[in-house]
Amino acid sequence: MFPLISISMHNFYRVLWMAFMVAMVNVSCAQPKPAKQIPYEALRVELEQILDADQGVRQKMSSVKEEDMNAFFKEMQQVDSVNQGKVLKILQQYGWLPQSKIGEKAAEGIFFVIQHAPLKVIETYFPQMKRLAQAGEANKTLAAMMEDRLLMFQGKKQIYGTQATSMQSPDGKNRIWPIENPEKVNERRKAAGFTNTVEENAQRLNAIYNPKEELPANPVRFH
């Protein structure tokens, strides 16, 4: 025979309540946490405005007088600084947003702000854009442009021939940055969605293109 255990009604309800609370905690822990709600529409509006600011200041370049260039570049840097602050806050909170959720224009807003950012920023966020481009959620042509920009900033040869610079050019003229395996560059450009050849792109950029161009002996590492 087991001994009888005497328990008061007060203690009985107390034990019952504690068991109930433990069960509720276990159920709560078992429930998946709701996914963070991303305000895509509000972000779309903000990013489209950011793109307008980024491109708007650059469209003024052709009409700026030579004596006003320093003031213009200062204005452009100020716009870029403000835009980078806004976009980096978005990326830190939500990551690179899929194009299907925010639209092409807003997606371009993210791209151009990061494309015009320092090397460290591009190194940090380009992998996210590349993954989305491979999944069809970012523009693969723009991703190719950013990859070229990243490689140039790192002092390496680019892949698609999208980048030109006059830095370290012996005659100070704009030149297409050296390209890896230039004999295949137009095939790579076509696969990435470009509609022109590297030669046509050089003409568009008013840049000299030499397929045999080599990296400078001491390439500048952009910051």
Side-chain angles (χ1 to χ4, degrees), residues 1 9 17 21 24 38 48 53 56 58 78 90 112 127 138 144 147 176 186 214 216 222-223:
M1 294 289 293
M9 290 300 294
W17 174 252
M21 291 302 296
M24 289 301 295
I38 300 178
E48 288 182 354
R58 285 169 169 78
Q78 289 175 339
I90 292 171
F112 277 110
E147 186 164 10
I176 296 293
N186 285 327
E214 290 297 329
F222 297 77
H223 298 284

Side-chain angles (χ1 to χ4, degrees), residues 22-33:
V22 169
M24 289 301 295
V25 169
N26 290 336
V27 169
S28 176
C29 292
Q31 293 297 321
K33 294 182 179 180

Side-chain angles (χ1 to χ4, degrees), residues 34-40 93-94:
K36 179 167 57 177
Q37 294 297 315
I38 300 178
Y40 289 117
Q93 188 169 3
Y94 304 112

